[in-house]
Each structure stands twice: as structure tokens, then as C-alpha cells.
Amino acid sequence: MSSPAASPPTPPASCGLKILWDDRLVAYDFGPGHPMNPVRVELTMALARELGLHDRANVRVARFDAADDKLLRLVHEEPYIAAVKHAGETGLPDERHGLGTPDNPVFLGMHDASALVAGASVAAAEAVWTGEAEHAANISGGLHHALSGAASGFCVYNDPAIAIAWLLDNGAERVAYVDIDVHHGDGVQAAFYDDPRVLTISLHETPRTLFPGTGFPNETGGTGAEGTSVNVALPPGTGDVPWLRAFEAIVPPLLRRFRPQVLLTQHGADGHALDPLAHLTLSVDGQRTAYAALHRLAHETAGGRWIVTGGGGYELVQVVPRAWAHLLAEASGAAIPPETPTPDGWREFVRLRTDEIAPRRMTDGTSVVEVHRWGNGYDPASPVDQAVLATRRAVFPEHGLDPMTDE
């Protein structure tokens, strides 16, 4: 087992972070029994507050405006926006637009709640692009499955795609999007499949075993944008060490070659072993290791301009709040030591809010996660190495990179 190779310079000890938050974000709620319960973001923000993240001098929690129709039209078709409004006003389904399905039940106020999520991600993009903040976060966002004309996979408006489109509309020439949700970031890929200005990278469970059924290595970008859609389809059961090996084999070399002006990352926590909807076996510690790697890459390749969103994650108490509290702490430049106890006040809030027993520490007990570097050799018998090599062969030559080596 090899230890991690030398890393690029450590990010500044105290990065400026703007957190976009409004209590009204919990109105994005598909109702009782739906996996995407907004209590997960409520518990995350409560944990961040109890850990003192909001009190750090370099962290600012700010409100924002909902996305208006002009912003939504950067990605979504006008008839679809009208359909979302109508469904949210009447409660009536419109399955032609993906509204009223088991994944996306209609709820009253659907448009307003969804536009608020999108507005938070656009505000994060604006803060980073204008230099108001070095990093910005919308943990309620990351709704990466929404398509231009339909809701899909618990997602109504595609806030990451709207934020990227806003950046392009305001002068950005190269934007990179890295998606570490267990599900393929299909909606963001579709929005920019033919646009060479946007590099999308998605690491996810293979679509052979998981929704949405897309995200194969041969999905590499449209004409004129070859190599800008990157998909790593990992086998069920992939845990921390092989997942991080795949990440290190794909993400750093492509970001270094693409040199984005802004890095936007989606942090679905549903790759965790406890998540009820998928089949990877990451720990919170493996996830926080990925957050730190993305933070370093933002400073190394994108001038420190980093936008982070949440995403999936359906273990509402044990996983999502800890994972995303680690994410916010990492983005602030002062990571939370994994052995840190969860605050007593937060555990009591969890008990009162959910009637569940909260985890006692910020770690799953695997706080030091080593990485097997790709440059140390390819194992043809490893299903993860096979998946990585398929992706490298599909896209690395388009970037002038060797699929077999780190050069």
C-alpha cells in the first residue's frame, strides 16, 4: 500500500467562505416518506452552527434572491417552467414534464421552493466570480438530474447547470464541474455536452445497477467538445481506497490540463455505505478526504475559485449532516479533526427532531485513508482499475494525456 504522493501547496489556512442559506430552503419537500427529506439540510446547518463554523471570522452566512425566469431559462425550456408553476399552484401532476411521478411528486409551492435553491447556487457563483468570496457553498443545491424540459430524480430545476450557465453568460471561458454523487450527473452533462467551455467529470456507481442509467465511459462530449464529458462508472461495493484511487487517477490530471477559471463541485453523500438507495461503501472519512483533495485542486487549477453544492444523500442523520459539515469546514480552510465529538446540543436536537440517536463523533473510525496511486501500476484483475482505464482511454487522448501513465 502506497502513501499519498506529494500534494500541491496546502490551501490558505483561512479561506473566505460565503454560505448561502435561508430557512425557507427546507420548503423543497416532496412530502412524508420521500427519501429526500429536507431535515438533512436542517440537521447539517444545525451541526455546522454547533461546531462553531458560522462564528469563524472568514465565514459569512448570507441570504439571496430566488432565481427568476430569465435565470431559469439559461437551462430550462419556457414550457417546462410554466408547467412547474402550474403544478405548484394547483397540485395537479404533469407527467409529460416529469411532475407527479414517484420520484418527483407535486407539492404546493414547488416552483418557488425550486427557484430558491437555484437562486442560492447562482448567488454562490456570483460571489466567487466577482471576487466577493473565494469559496461559496449551497448545501441545499446539487440537483443534477433535472433536464431542460423535465424533472427527474428528485430534481426540479438544475441549479448547478444554471450556475454554470450564469458564469458563461458573465464572461467565464472555462468552467469545470466535478460530481461525486453516487448517481451520474446526467442533467449537467446534457446541458453542456456540446460546449467545450465546460468540463464535466462524474464519478458514480455504474449505470448498469443504478439510476439514471447513463454515465458510461463512451459518453465523452459532442462534436467540437470531445473529451469534455468524463464518466467513471464504478462497480457496486467500491469503498474508500479504490474510490479514491479512481478519483486521483481521473480528476487531478484533467483539471490540471483544462485549467478552469472556476471549479464547481457536487457533493452527494449517497456513496456512503449506509445510504439506502445505492451500493457503494464509502465512509464519512473517505468523503472528507475527497473534499480536501478538491479544495487543493481548486487552489492549484482554478485560482481558488470554488463553488460547492450538496446533492444526494438519504441516510439523513448518520451520514449527511456530518459529511456536509466536514465539507463546509474544509471550504473555510480549517477542517474539523475526524475524532471531534459531535456537540451535545446537536445530538439532543437530532433526538427531538427525528427521534433518532445521533452519531457521537465526526468520524466513522477510518480517519486516515491511503491512496493507491495509478502511477504505481494497473491491476487488470481489479474491476475498479478496469473502470478507470476505460475512462482514461476514452478521454485522456483528447487532452493529450497518456491513458496508462500519469504523464
Side-chain angles (χ1 to χ4, degrees):
M1 179 177 291
S2 61
S3 59
S7 298
T10 302
S14 184
C15 301
L17 171 65
K18 184 174 183 179
I19 300 173
L20 285 306
W21 177 252
D22 186 314
D23 289 342
R24 293 178 299 160
L25 286 165
V26 300
Y28 190 87
D29 185 356
F30 291 108
H34 193 280
M36 199 169 195
N37 189 324
V39 75
R40 65 199 191 120
V41 293
E42 184 182 354
L43 295 181
T44 298
M45 294 303 289
L47 179 56
R49 280 192 295 268
E50 289 282 342
L51 288 166
L53 298 185
H54 294 185
D55 298 327
R56 294 178 178 179
N58 61 313
V59 175
R60 183 162 70 93
V61 180
R63 297 182 70 174
F64 50 90
D65 295 326
D68 60 18
D69 286 8
K70 181 180 179 182
L71 283 172
L72 298 176
R73 285 197 299 268
L74 293 174
V75 168
H76 295 289
E77 300 165 2
E78 180 63 45
Y80 173 60
I81 298 169
V84 174
K85 290 179 179 179
H86 185 262
E89 291 167 356
T90 65
L92 296 175
D94 182 350
E95 293 194 16
R96 183 167 59 93
H97 290 103
L99 303 168
T101 65
D103 275 0
N104 290 85
V106 169
F107 61 92
L108 295 178
M110 174 181 276
H111 167 78
D112 292 339
S114 304
L116 195 66
V117 175
S121 289
V122 172
E126 183 174 6
V128 167
W129 185 242
T130 61
E132 178 192 345
E134 196 169 19
H135 308 330
N138 172 23
I139 62 159
S140 71
L143 306 180
H144 60 169
H145 293 307
L147 303 172
S148 61
S152 178
F154 315 161
C155 305
V156 178
Y157 293 139
N158 195 318
D159 64 283
I162 295 167
I164 293 169
W166 183 92
L167 288 166
L168 298 175
D169 214 35
N170 283 270
E173 297 176 346
R174 294 182 313 284
V175 179
Y177 171 77
V178 178
D179 188 319
I180 61 174
D181 195 289
V182 77
H183 301 91
H184 177 226
D186 58 333
V188 181
Q189 174 178 290
F192 304 106
Y193 200 69
D194 299 313
D195 193 333
R197 298 173 297 173
V198 182
L199 174 70
T200 65
I201 305 175
S202 179
L203 291 89
H204 47 265
E205 183 178 331
T206 173
R208 298 186 187 280
T209 57
L210 194 66
F211 176 91
T214 58
F216 290 99
N218 63 356
E219 300 167 31
T220 60
T223 302
E226 295 87 352
T228 59
S229 291
V230 182
N231 291 291
V232 189
L234 297 168
T238 300
D240 289 339
V241 171
W243 191 98
L244 288 165
R245 172 172 169 80
F247 176 96
E248 290 289 339
I250 298 294
V251 179
L254 289 173
L255 290 182
R256 289 168 184 152
R257 187 56 59 97
F258 189 69
R259 303 297 301 184
Q261 293 165 299
V262 183
L263 175 62
L264 193 157
T265 54
Q266 196 267 21
H267 296 268
D270 41 8
H272 193 279
L274 295 180
D275 194 89
L277 299 189
H279 316 97
L280 299 191
T281 58
L282 299 179
S283 69
V284 166
D285 303 290
Q287 291 170 326
R288 69 184 292 275
T289 301
Y291 305 160
L294 287 165
H295 191 186
R296 290 193 299 270
L297 286 164
H299 284 275
E300 179 190 354
T301 69
R305 289 178 289 274
W306 188 28
I307 303 158
V308 303
T309 73
Y314 309 101
E315 209 320 309
L316 308 174
V317 172
Q318 303 299 318
V319 175
V320 175
R322 289 188 299 158
W324 289 350
H326 276 303
L327 174 62
L328 293 174
E330 178 63 45
S332 77
I336 299 168
E339 66 276 7
T340 301
T342 54
D344 292 343
W346 180 73
R347 292 199 301 272
E348 178 62 11
F349 177 66
V350 169
R351 185 186 69 80
L352 293 172
R353 187 68 182 81
T354 69
D355 203 30
E356 292 191 33
I357 298 174
R360 298 193 66 85
R361 295 195 177 273
M362 293 296 291
T363 179
D364 283 337
T366 56
S367 55
V368 178
V369 181
E370 294 183 324
V371 179
H372 293 190
R373 307 285 300 189
W374 183 261
N376 292 342
Y378 161 67
D379 179 2
S382 163
V384 170
D385 278 18
Q386 293 169 16
V388 169
L389 185 57
T391 300
R392 288 175 65 114
R393 283 176 168 164
V395 299
F396 271 36
E398 298 289 349
H399 297 270
L401 297 169
D402 187 332
M404 296 304 300
T405 73
D406 281 343
E407 298 177 356

